[in-house]
Amino acid sequence: MPRHAKNTIFILVILTIFLLVVIIISSDPNSKIHSVYKVLSVPVQAVQKGASNLATGIKDRFEAIGSYTDLINENKRLKEEVDKLQGYKNRNEQLETENQELRALLELKDYYQEYDLIAANIIAKDVTDWYNEFTLDAGTQEGVYIGCPVITSKGLVGIVSKVSAHTCKVMTLVDEQNVIMARISRSNELVRLRGMTPENYEYLLKLDRISASSDLYVGDLLVTAESGGVYPKGIAIGTVIEISTIAETETRYAIVEPLVNLPKISEVYILSLPEKARITEDKE
């Protein structure tokens, strides 16, 4: 270190010590040099005030940082609570759905006592026409045979058209080849339903040959009739959503919307008569 730098540091140290001694001595009110203390205390107090303000500012900054960290942690905790509550809600909804399905199954078993109810899952759909035909994971080994009605708790789905050992194909009620004898639930009038070619992905049924005296209204519920021996009577089919008249022939027809939402079903029930009952029915 250069000599003049050492001298400068030495002088500053001596001056600092001298000022401290003067301040200490002059701080006594009875001291003859008390006036010196008053003069020196002004800049010292200014420095103290500045240092105090700086310390307070630093403290406030750290407290603000601490509060922000607390807010982040609280926000994270609340998000975890929301996720947990959403999980409980989803689970409760799932349990409620399962309970509804079980209650519906018990009601179906009670209503169709002469049938065995075989639960089945849809495992494949016709790639050319998804809602006219699909495949179930139940076959002859489970008691399924050609002609078994297929339903859900809401109503009719279709009929088994092909069967193998452990799978079967179902022709749905909206297939054009499907003809269903039905009754208007309100009036018990016998009518005939046919599947319709889907338009704009709307899968509907057509009620044709409506007589002039027919008591039919929009909103009427149609159920399967006992005629034909294909379906047991009373299975809900759908509701009338439109009634129109063909001008040339002045004949009326109606459009019926199935109660079962075909695009959304994944599980169904197959109504299977026990073998003895089937033999008796065939003889009749």
Side-chain angles (χ1 to χ4, degrees), residues 44 66 107 137 143 169 178 180 233 240:
V44 170
E107 290 175 3
D137 60 353
K169 287 189 178 294
N178 211 343
I180 305 170
K233 67 177 180 179
V240 177

Side-chain angles (χ1 to χ4, degrees), residues 5-20:
K6 290 182 178 180
N7 292 336
T8 301
I9 293 172
F10 178 75
I11 293 170
L12 288 173
V13 170
I14 295 299
L15 285 173
T16 302
I17 294 171
F18 174 75
L19 287 172
L20 288 173

Side-chain angles (χ1 to χ4, degrees), residues 103-115 117:
R103 286 195 295 269
L105 177 58
L106 290 173
E107 290 175 3
L108 288 173
K109 284 185 174 181
D110 186 55
Y111 191 80
Y112 301 108
Q113 293 182 9
E114 69 273 30
Y115 289 88
L117 258 68

